[in-house]
Amino acid sequence: MHWKRQNLNCIKPLMYTGGEIMFWQKFIEKFSVLDLIIIAMLSALGIATKPIVVPITHIITGPLLIPGGVVAGGFYMMWLVLGVGLTGKCGTATLIGLVQALMVFGTGIFGSHGAMTLLSYTLPGVAIDLALWFTRHRVCCLPCSFLAGVLANICGSGLVNILYFRLPLVPLMLALTVAALSGGLGGIIAYKILHQLKKTGFGHKTA
């Protein structure tokens, strides 16, 4: 009996690992090859445009003494919202954020915050997916696109503030307000782009 218990204890971690593999396998299987290509492209575009956008936003945020990423974040979140609209599948934004985090973390390029990069890039995607899951929308209208962008940028800006900046209350509230406006604008732009793509027959049918 003692030998059997030892064997079972050894097997449990393997069973847990197998369960994790099954979860990720099922998660990825719901995406088509085209979906994964879209996710990869949007992830790359989000990272590639970051060094261009951040210096421009610093011109605006510098005098206000708030982090430049608060405004630039709206542009980043646009790619996540657009991804959900193009695939029409829950989990897309999270996957885009995760891919971006792995790109930044693995290469050490612009915007790397070490291991915390995984959180700062992935959680805004989780916020988008949760918001759209609760509302049963898929970037199909202007309000849900705006809401997705707002929540994502507030989540990202708030998390970065907790981890790095730790602003006092008044600057923090100002930063989160600007983040909400910037994120909402990014969501609107994503919806407008999606609307134009829909006219060409590209994108999810409900977009």
Side-chain angles (χ1 to χ4, degrees), residues 107-128:
T107 60
I109 58 176
F110 187 86
S112 177
H113 297 130
M116 290 301 175
T117 298
L118 289 172
L119 287 177
S120 61
Y121 276 81
T122 306
L123 287 185
V126 174
I128 290 175

Side-chain angles (χ1 to χ4, degrees), residues 59-70:
I59 299 173
I60 302 172
T61 59
L64 298 175
L65 300 177
I66 58 177
V70 168

Side-chain angles (χ1 to χ4, degrees), residues 18-70:
E20 285 184 332
I21 293 172
M22 288 295 294
F23 169 78
W24 281 108
Q25 186 177 359
K26 289 181 179 179
F27 178 72
I28 295 297
E29 280 179 352
K30 72 178 183 178
F31 296 98
S32 66
V33 174
L34 179 59
D35 293 336
L36 295 176
I37 291 173
I38 290 171
I39 289 169
M41 289 179 62
L42 293 178
S43 301
L45 284 170
I47 297 300
T49 54
K50 189 170 185 178
I52 302 172
V53 175
V54 170
I56 297 173
T57 58
H58 280 165
I59 299 173
I60 302 172
T61 59
L64 298 175
L65 300 177
I66 58 177
V70 168

Side-chain angles (χ1 to χ4, degrees), residues 40-184:
M41 289 179 62
L42 293 178
S43 301
L45 284 170
I47 297 300
T49 54
K50 189 170 185 178
I52 302 172
V53 175
V54 170
I56 297 173
T57 58
H58 280 165
I59 299 173
I60 302 172
T61 59
L64 298 175
L65 300 177
I66 58 177
V70 168
V71 174
F75 186 78
Y76 308 150
M77 304 313 163
M78 178 191 74
W79 303 108
L80 277 68
V81 177
L82 182 59
V84 178
L86 288 173
T87 65
K89 294 173 182 175
C90 187
T92 300
T94 301
L95 197 53
I96 292 175
L98 180 60
V99 171
Q100 288 183 336
L102 293 175
M103 289 173 63
V104 172
F105 182 64
T107 60
I109 58 176
F110 187 86
S112 177
H113 297 130
M116 290 301 175
T117 298
L118 289 172
L119 287 177
S120 61
Y121 276 81
T122 306
L123 287 185
V126 174
I128 290 175
D129 286 324
L130 285 176
L132 296 178
W133 181 76
F134 276 116
T135 59
R136 297 294 187 267
H137 283 241
R138 293 293 183 271
V139 193
C140 52
C141 60
L142 202 57
C144 75
S145 305
F146 180 83
L147 176 64
V150 167
L151 292 179
N153 208 25
I154 288 178
C155 176
S157 299
L159 182 62
V160 169
N161 177 73
I162 292 172
L163 294 176
Y164 307 108
F165 295 108
R166 299 181 182 178
L167 297 173
L169 181 60
V170 174
L172 175 60
M173 296 306 296
L174 175 61
L176 292 180
T177 302
V178 174
L181 294 173
S182 174

